[in-house]
Amino acid sequence: MKILLFLIFLLTSFCKFAFSEEHSDEQQIIEMGDIEYGQYLGAECASCHQQTGASEGIPAINGMDAEVFVALMLAYRSKEMENPVMQMIAGRLDDEQIGSLALYFSQLEPPK
Amino acid sequence: MSKISRRLFTGLAAASVGTLAFPSISLGAVPRVVVIGGGAGGATAARYIAKDSGGAVDVTLVEASKRYYTCFFSNIYLGGFRNYGSIGHNYYGLSVNQGVNVVHEWAVSVDPANRIVKLGSGNTLYYDKLVVSPGIDLKYDSINGYSAAVQDKMPHAWKSGTQVQLLRNQVMNMKQGGTFVMVPPPNPYRCPPGPYERVSMIAHQFKQSNPTAKIVILDPKPKFSKQGLFEAGWQKHYPGMIEWISSEDHGGIKNVNATKMEFVTDLDTFKADAACVVPAQKAGAIAMAAGVNDGDWCPIQPASMQSKADENIYVLGDASMAKSMPKSGFSANSQAKVAANHIRGALTGSKVFDARYSNTCWSLIAPDDDVKVGASYVAGAELIDVESKFISQADDSSETRAANYQESIDWYNGITADMFS
């Protein structure tokens, strides 16, 4: 099992190296981001998303992986994911703003 | 002293002494912000300015109450879903964690020319920027026969606090099969769906403890927020219990008699066994004292929440004339972040970003049947313009309505942490 994991690790490392010119959409969006802007925009999120502790209905977003964050926001923006509040919030965010939020939240301490 | 220990010291000093005297002249280069009112607008503004400036701005919050009971979720308490203590919050987090000087006093006057706030004790606070977020005052005389003197007989319960507990008591003790009369306020007022959520929560209580009770709503308006959703919910959960009478049908409330518990209208005279009467509203008195009002409310610049009357004063929340945003705790919290960003920029040179606002109001109709309405906004030239909006659908699944309720509970925990932690 450990050997298998190691092989997967080698393979993914190789792929990242080999195809590093071809960034994913998520990575490109993250590169457009600005942390200070993300901090300002992220204040809107803090009205509902608690900064500490997990919750049942509204998940914690502090410390979330930046690529996962971007993928989720894109899915809300395109209405692939349901929830009218999140569709409204994401619907008015451009790529730079999503990238800024992803950068900001990914560097915060995740809730314990 | 390190930043953290200095903040802790300031916070503990504020927390333990409670009231601090301040000289009326600024002593150093650290700019001063005074925030009047510790609700969703003021507490959020104080917290964000202190937190994001990292000690570069001295923030004083003036709030008379040591314990703040939120208006939002007071209806959930009325329905018996929460205890009263669970909607109470203190200011220790703001003082200890954020270094805000919390002064538990009334602000009695503002001298805008000299930038001074005078407190009830006679002490004065100097400011570079002032945030006025006092919430509402009630216009008792907007209803003939209603007054502060009879508010315990017919509670308004529209500013949270003991009035809400009193109303809960009167609901619980109303005679079997009696009539409860609800008089919602005329527009504009705090929490547009609030009166109708309140009726829903009282109906939920009656369904269990007083199932033959009736509720009559004498509305001064011909229509109301989320009307279709509420009416469908009442039909489903409380058939035959609630009668909403439009202003077009009753012709207006001519007189209220608190001794006889009677409401006189063109249509009929309604006799109540218990009642909730919410009069018309206006900005809190300190906004008038500061001279930033135009009539009952305070005009603001949509891009910053600055008063149109004074660029050093920001008006937040219910007291502001922030059309097209509703008067809600969510709106006030959202406006506070725009103002905080603008104030920090003006005082410390930090970057000022474009204003963006949002609001969502959840309303509980019955257990696990919760509806929501919301919108996002941008600053227009004259108004805060709606960018996009949504509302719950009549054919939502029961799972969606139950998820809305869970979402509202998480929102409550989120926003109160965003105000007070």
Side-chain angles (χ1 to χ4, degrees):
Chain A
M1 186 64 188
K2 277 184 180 170
I3 293 168
L4 182 66
L5 282 175
F6 183 66
L7 283 174
I8 290 172
F9 172 73
L10 278 184
L11 190 66
T12 50
S13 304
F14 172 75
C15 287
K16 277 190 177 172
F17 176 74
F19 303 110
S20 59
E21 293 301 308
E22 298 239 345
H23 285 187
S24 67
D25 288 352
E26 284 80 4
Q27 284 168 331
Q28 285 179 22
I29 287 171
I30 293 162
E31 279 167 14
M32 296 164 76
D34 170 82
I35 286 196
E36 193 186 357
Y37 193 23
Q39 180 179 12
Y40 170 68
L41 295 170
E44 184 176 36
C45 312
S47 302
C48 299
H49 292 271
Q50 290 178 68
Q51 301 298 289
T52 55
S55 53
E56 287 174 55
I58 300 177
I61 51 175
N62 285 14
M64 183 180 275
D65 177 81
E67 285 190 42
V68 173
F69 188 100
V70 171
L72 286 170
M73 294 304 282
L74 294 179
Y76 280 121
R77 192 170 70 180
S78 64
K79 303 195 191 294
E80 283 164 58
M81 279 183 71
E82 286 179 19
N83 191 308
V85 180
M86 283 310 302
Q87 288 177 353
M88 177 186 81
I89 296 292
R92 67 164 168 175
L93 294 173
D94 63 24
D95 287 354
E96 182 202 355
Q97 291 168 330
I98 289 178
S100 299
L101 285 163
L103 275 183
Y104 172 67
F105 281 109
S106 66
Q107 48 95 47
L108 294 180
E109 191 77 12
K112 294 179 181 81
Chain B
M1 213 185 279
S2 75
K3 194 172 95 182
I4 290 172
S5 60
R6 185 190 59 76
R7 282 181 156 206
L8 188 61
F9 174 77
T10 319
L12 286 174
S16 56
V17 177
T19 303
L20 296 173
F22 293 92
S24 59
I25 300 163
S26 185
L27 292 177
V30 178
R32 294 186 164 194
V33 172
V34 173
V35 180
I36 301 174
T44 306
R47 182 168 176 270
Y48 273 77
I49 296 166
K51 176 169 77 70
D52 293 345
S53 69
V57 178
D58 184 277
V59 183
T60 300
L61 175 66
V62 181
E63 162 59 49
S65 308
K66 290 190 173 169
R67 196 161 179 79
Y68 180 87
Y69 290 91
T70 56
C71 251
F72 42 95
F73 268 42
S74 63
N75 282 336
I76 309 301
Y77 156 76
L78 282 172
F81 292 90
R82 285 178 91 100
N83 65 50
Y84 198 64
S86 77
I87 59 170
H89 304 270
N90 63 47
Y91 293 93
Y92 298 142
L94 284 182
S95 52
V96 175
N97 301 334
Q98 311 300 347
V100 173
N101 307 304
V102 182
V103 178
H104 292 299
E105 283 203 52
W106 285 99
V108 292
S109 66
V110 176
D111 172 358
N114 295 303
R115 302 207 302 264
I116 290 170
V117 174
K118 193 172 178 189
L119 304 179
S121 62
N123 289 332
T124 54
L125 298 172
Y126 169 86
Y127 66 82
D128 294 297
K129 300 290 176 191
L130 175 66
V131 176
V132 175
S133 189
I136 53 158
D137 273 355
L138 298 168
K139 295 170 75 174
Y140 289 99
D141 59 4
S142 65
I143 302 170
N144 194 19
Y146 193 68
S147 67
V150 301
Q151 69 176 8
D152 287 354
K153 196 87 193 295
M154 295 177 164
H156 54 79
W158 215 244
K159 296 171 80 172
S160 206
T162 51
Q163 275 267 304
V164 181
Q165 292 174 293
L166 188 66
L167 178 59
R168 167 100 178 138
N169 253 329
Q170 293 176 3
V171 166
M172 296 304 284
N173 293 317
M174 194 178 85
K175 77 171 187 193
Q176 288 296 309
T179 299
F180 184 93
V181 171
M182 173 85 204
V183 179
N187 291 324
Y189 62 95
R190 162 179 286 179
C191 191
Y196 312 97
E197 182 188 59
R198 174 164 291 182
V199 163
S200 307
M201 290 295 91
I202 291 171
H204 168 72
Q205 182 57 53
F206 282 156
K207 194 175 175 179
Q208 298 157 82
S209 56
N210 192 346
T212 54
K214 295 269 183 266
I215 301 174
V216 175
I217 307 167
L218 296 175
D219 209 319
K221 306 182 289 296
K223 59 180 185 173
F224 61 88
S225 170
K226 303 188 209 174
Q227 184 162 357
L229 294 166
F230 276 114
E231 288 182 332
W234 294 342
Q235 190 63 38
K236 179 179 176 187
H237 301 290
Y238 319 111
M241 184 184 276
I242 301 168
E243 184 184 8
W244 175 74
I245 306 178
S246 159
S247 57
E248 288 171 349
D249 294 326
H250 64 65
I253 297 164
K254 305 301 177 207
N255 190 50
V256 169
N257 185 326
T259 312
K260 293 183 180 170
M261 292 295 281
E262 280 179 0
F263 298 80
V264 181
T265 73
D266 285 344
L267 182 68
D268 204 350
T269 293
F270 295 86
K271 182 106 179 72
D273 297 291
C276 173
V277 177
V278 188
Q281 296 158 25
K282 61 183 177 182
I286 193 67
M288 314 302 186
V292 290
N293 63 304
D294 177 9
D296 286 340
W297 308 103
C298 306
I300 49 86
Q301 311 276 4
S304 62
M305 298 305 294
Q306 271 166 306
S307 163
K308 282 190 172 168
D310 186 332
E311 64 169 20
N312 292 317
I313 302 180
Y314 295 69
V315 186
L316 304 179
D318 296 349
S320 69
M321 198 184 283
K323 202 175 175 187
S324 310
M325 295 185 81
K327 298 186 186 301
S328 74
F330 199 125
S331 291
N333 171 263
S334 175
Q335 292 160 5
K337 292 164 185 176
V338 170
N341 181 253
H342 202 264
I343 289 169
R344 276 200 308 121
L347 296 180
T348 69
S350 66
K351 197 166 175 185
V352 178
F353 297 103
D354 285 348
R356 39 198 303 125
Y357 304 96
S358 53
N359 176 64
T360 299
C361 293
W362 288 266
S363 301
L364 188 60
I365 300 177
D368 285 332
D369 189 355
D370 193 291
V371 291
K372 58 184 176 181
V373 61
S376 60
Y377 305 86
V378 288
E382 282 303 312
L383 298 178
I384 296 178
D385 296 325
V386 174
E387 192 170 61
S388 67
K389 57 184 177 179
F390 70 87
I391 184 165
S392 289
Q393 298 301 302
D395 59 356
D396 280 341
S397 69
S398 54
E399 289 77 18
T400 297
R401 295 291 180 87
N404 286 348
Y405 181 49
Q406 183 59 50
E407 196 176 86
S408 75
I409 294 168
D410 289 341
W411 162 75
Y412 185 87
N413 294 333
I415 193 173
T416 50
D418 202 33
M419 292 161 62
F420 297 114
S421 69

